[in-house]
Amino acid sequence: MIAKISSGKSTAGLIRYLYDTKKAKDHTDPHLVASYDGFAPDPGRAQDFDTAKKLLVADLDLHVKQAQRLGRAPERHVWHCSIRAAKTDRRLSDDEWGDIARRVVAATGIAPDGDPDGCRWVAVRHAPDHIHIAATKVRADLRTARHWNDYLTADRELAAVEKEYGLHQVVRGDRTAAKRPTRAEQEKAKRAGHDRSARERLRTTVRTVVAVATSTEEFIRLLEHTDGVLVDVKHFPSGDVRGYTVALAGDINGKQEPIWFSGSELSPDLSFPKIRKRLDATDQPQGPRRANPWYQATAAAERIPHHLGQADDGAAQAHLAAFGEALDALTLLAPQSVRPQLRQAAEAFERATRSRIQAEHQHARALRGAVRAMVRESAPRDGALLAMLLDAAILAVIAAARWHQLHHHDQQVAATRQTLVHLQAAYEQTAAAPLIVLAQRQPPQQVVERHILLIRQTVHAHAEQVLEDPAFDALTAVLADAEKAGHDPKQLLRQAADQRALADARQPARVLTWRIERLAARPAPSARARAAQARSTAQHPSAPGRTTPATSPLAPTAQPGNGSARRR
């Protein structure tokens, strides 16, 4: 159930609308289902409609008129709450709607339970799926009702109603979502031929700039040089930047002036102080980098499920925010063919980057630094590096969904599900060609048989899935390449499997392929290092194929098919 609450100046005007059946064609059989005393006049059931309507308005306005004589009545004295059931809900009776109305006015402070001085109110039903509560805000003791946060309290009560009545349970937020565009903004965008409002387009632009900037100074500079965006920077008397507003070129009001939005009007995390905190917690790219930033970003993304499994919620929230920035940056780095899917993934995950938990941004410095370094290098020629990062990103999103679910962040969970759909589509499109190239380098059969044995020994919990995965040939190719470079394939398999979240993978051979490809890019250990590694393994053996035990409902584990040729 969803409540919508507003206020007004005319009780008569609201009652006229609720009982109107001529202009409002969807209003049928308007009548009362509940009232403040159970005896309020009901124009819908009276023989003389006009007289009953006047009596009802007079009854509701009684305390308002008394307070007006004392100069104590609020200017907007009408409280209006509409409550709508979901389309899939059963049809509620008048008695059930009346009970819901009484619970809502009590919860919001309009007419608290057991309070004889509560406000006067009525609940009108003029359609099968919703009611309207009309109340006046002046109590019998002529004080104004205390109904602060009435939307939240009404929403909380309706959540309880949904459970008790067996109705559809609405996905609820925590007031950290970005403000939705108004109807006027949406209609204006349609007239201009745009699929999104100016507010939404500016939000995407600012988020992308934040994802690539390394300092607040660079953030302002990049924003000012973005085509089609007007920027107005606010300063303190000292000259320091206080904030900023942005507008789209050509988006004007009736006075032919640009329509400006502050950062916080675009999204709660885009205010200048919050952007500064994030950028201050970013590793600054310095000089030539030896490590491939794509590998570094992939490694940081692979560690996100581990971070989300720890008890530090502030650190977990920071990693989610940084991961959102990584998705924003990928829309600039990916090939044109997959950018639409990645842009949709980034826009969906934007909702999952915020919650009531305060992020401690210093915990995600590595991922932010790697993303900034990626942006400053030329894009990779093939799709292998992008596929590798997207593979890790999918498992990170599954872990994010699980973390939000544990914290009862309903809207964020829904956002991760949308993100996963777009990321998987982008990954399938990106990974196809690199996997074919790798599979063409498949080693001789005796080497393949040896790798099969290693897989059974090392990742036995997922061995059958790995062997039946279409990417198995690519996995044997990267294992053979790593062995030629001096790496121990068994040790690489163990390292790759021990990086967790393998149980969430629909195609574990692909996950192992990209992890081993990245691990093998490091210099092979010396003979002395391998010997020390072997001694350490003998003294502290790790469970082969240690992975997260639970499989996410978002990504069901694939079932082994018929692949007896590989199980010889």
Side-chain angles (χ1 to χ4, degrees):
M1 285 189 160
I2 296 177
K4 183 178 180 181
I5 297 175
S6 60
S7 60
K9 299 180 180 180
S10 173
T11 307
L14 176 57
I15 296 300
R16 186 185 309 114
Y17 163 75
L18 296 181
Y19 279 92
D20 174 49
T21 57
K22 295 180 180 179
K23 293 182 180 179
K25 300 300 182 182
D26 56 338
H27 291 188
T28 58
D29 187 27
H31 60 280
L32 293 185
V33 294
S35 66
Y36 63 97
D37 63 355
F39 301 102
D42 184 0
R45 294 290 183 265
Q47 293 182 349
D48 188 340
F49 174 83
D50 291 333
T51 300
K53 185 174 67 174
K54 291 178 181 178
L55 288 174
L56 178 58
V57 172
D59 284 357
L60 291 175
D61 273 345
L62 175 63
H63 301 313
V64 176
K65 300 295 185 183
Q66 293 171 338
Q68 284 176 341
R69 288 197 292 268
L70 300 175
R72 293 164 55 180
E75 181 182 3
R76 301 180 69 83
H77 63 268
V78 178
W79 187 84
H80 177 202
C81 175
S82 61
I83 304 173
R84 185 176 297 274
K87 293 181 179 180
T88 56
D89 285 340
R90 61 180 175 84
R91 182 165 178 167
L92 299 173
S93 67
D94 282 356
D95 289 341
E96 288 173 319
W97 275 120
D99 176 62
I100 292 169
R102 281 185 284 270
R103 292 177 61 165
V104 168
V105 294
T108 55
I110 293 296
D113 284 334
D115 184 354
D117 293 329
C119 299
R120 294 193 167 194
W121 61 273
V122 293
V124 179
R125 182 179 189 178
H126 58 203
D129 62 347
H130 69 276
I131 61 170
H132 293 260
I133 303 174
T136 46
K137 300 180 185 179
V138 179
R139 295 162 43 85
D141 56 13
L142 302 189
R143 292 187 293 126
T144 302
R146 299 168 63 89
H147 61 97
W148 296 300
N149 289 327
D150 48 10
Y151 173 78
L152 291 179
T153 52
D155 193 57
R156 194 178 301 121
E157 188 64 30
L158 291 178
V161 167
E162 291 166 355
K163 292 180 181 179
E164 294 176 25
Y165 279 73
L167 306 176
H168 170 72
Q169 295 184 27
V170 175
V171 175
R172 288 179 162 83
D174 54 6
R175 302 184 74 185
T176 61
K179 185 177 179 180
R180 294 181 180 180
T182 64
R183 174 67 65 85
E185 291 174 342
Q186 293 174 332
E187 293 299 327
K188 185 177 182 179
K190 288 181 181 179
R191 290 195 299 270
H194 299 296
D195 58 347
R196 296 186 303 157
S197 68
R199 184 195 303 269
E200 293 170 306
R201 290 154 61 199
L202 284 169
R203 182 187 306 138
T204 299
T205 299
V206 174
R207 284 183 61 85
T208 304
V209 172
V210 173
V212 302
T214 58
S215 64
T216 51
E217 293 77 16
E218 186 179 21
F219 165 73
I220 294 296
R221 185 169 64 254
L222 291 173
L223 201 56
E224 290 176 333
H225 286 82
T226 301
D227 291 340
V229 176
L230 307 177
V231 183
D232 182 20
V233 182
K234 315 293 184 183
H235 294 86
F236 288 111
S238 62
D240 295 334
V241 176
R242 176 171 58 89
Y244 71 99
T245 56
V246 288
L248 282 181
D251 183 35
I252 55 178
N253 57 22
K255 298 180 180 179
Q256 303 300 304
E257 298 170 339
I259 300 176
W260 297 95
F261 296 91
S262 66
S264 59
E265 288 176 323
L266 299 178
S267 179
D269 57 347
L270 293 182
S271 67
F272 192 74
K274 291 186 177 180
I275 289 175
R276 178 187 286 118
K277 285 184 180 180
R278 290 157 66 184
L279 295 181
D280 287 348
T282 301
D283 285 340
Q284 307 299 324
Q286 295 177 353
R289 301 176 67 95
R290 294 183 180 180
N292 187 321
W294 287 81
Y295 287 155
Q296 291 181 321
T298 301
E302 285 179 338
R303 289 193 293 270
I304 288 177
H306 169 73
H307 295 308
L308 298 183
Q310 304 304 304
D312 191 344
D313 286 342
Q317 186 64 61
H319 285 286
L320 293 178
F323 180 73
E325 293 177 18
L327 293 181
D328 290 328
L330 280 182
T331 61
L332 302 175
L333 303 172
Q336 291 288 347
S337 58
V338 294
R339 284 189 184 183
Q341 291 287 2
L342 290 177
R343 187 174 296 109
Q344 288 176 296
E347 290 173 356
F349 195 78
E350 180 261 346
R351 181 65 192 95
T353 60
R354 293 185 304 277
S355 71
R356 283 290 178 184
I357 297 172
Q358 189 72 27
E360 298 172 3
H361 293 294
Q362 70 275 9
H363 290 282
R365 300 179 72 98
L367 179 56
R368 281 198 170 92
V371 169
R372 269 65 176 184
M374 286 164 49
V375 173
R376 282 155 178 77
E377 293 193 2
S378 56
R381 294 182 179 179
D382 61 30
L385 292 177
L386 176 59
M388 186 184 305
L389 179 53
L390 290 179
D391 179 74
I394 288 171
L395 298 183
V397 171
I398 293 172
R402 185 179 296 120
W403 185 81
H404 280 305
Q405 200 161 25
L406 288 173
H407 290 78
H408 306 290
H409 300 159
D410 295 341
Q411 286 187 353
Q412 289 87 334
V413 172
T416 57
R417 292 193 174 118
Q418 295 174 4
T419 305
L420 193 60
V421 171
H422 299 302
L423 274 186
Q424 286 175 334
Y427 171 74
E428 294 295 337
Q429 188 174 344
T430 303
L435 287 173
I436 290 173
V437 172
L438 287 173
Q440 291 172 347
R441 304 206 310 262
Q442 186 181 21
Q445 186 60 34
Q446 63 269 25
V447 177
V448 173
E449 295 291 346
R450 183 158 50 83
H451 289 166
I452 290 175
L453 180 61
L454 290 178
I455 289 169
R456 291 189 183 279
Q457 293 173 346
T458 309
V459 288
H460 63 86
H462 304 282
E464 296 306 317
Q465 289 176 263
V466 172
L467 298 179
E468 303 305 330
D469 194 321
F472 173 78
D473 293 340
L475 174 59
T476 60
V478 296
L479 281 171
D481 291 345
E483 192 171 16
K484 289 178 184 177
H487 291 278
D488 179 358
K490 185 174 183 179
Q491 185 63 29
L492 283 180
L493 273 170
R494 180 173 287 113
Q495 283 183 267
D498 283 355
Q499 289 176 350
R500 293 178 174 266
L502 198 60
D504 288 330
R506 295 190 300 177
Q507 295 178 302
R510 291 190 179 192
V511 177
L512 292 174
T513 297
W514 301 125
R515 289 179 180 177
I516 290 171
E517 177 93 344
R518 180 175 57 79
L519 292 170
R522 304 170 182 173
S526 63
R528 180 179 297 179
R530 286 198 299 270
Q533 208 171 44
R535 288 195 299 272
S536 174
T537 302
Q539 294 173 2
H540 307 285
S542 61
R546 185 181 68 229
T547 58
T548 304
T551 301
S552 168
L554 295 175
T557 305
Q559 297 300 317
N562 181 18
S564 57
R566 285 180 179 158
R567 295 199 293 269
R568 292 196 298 270

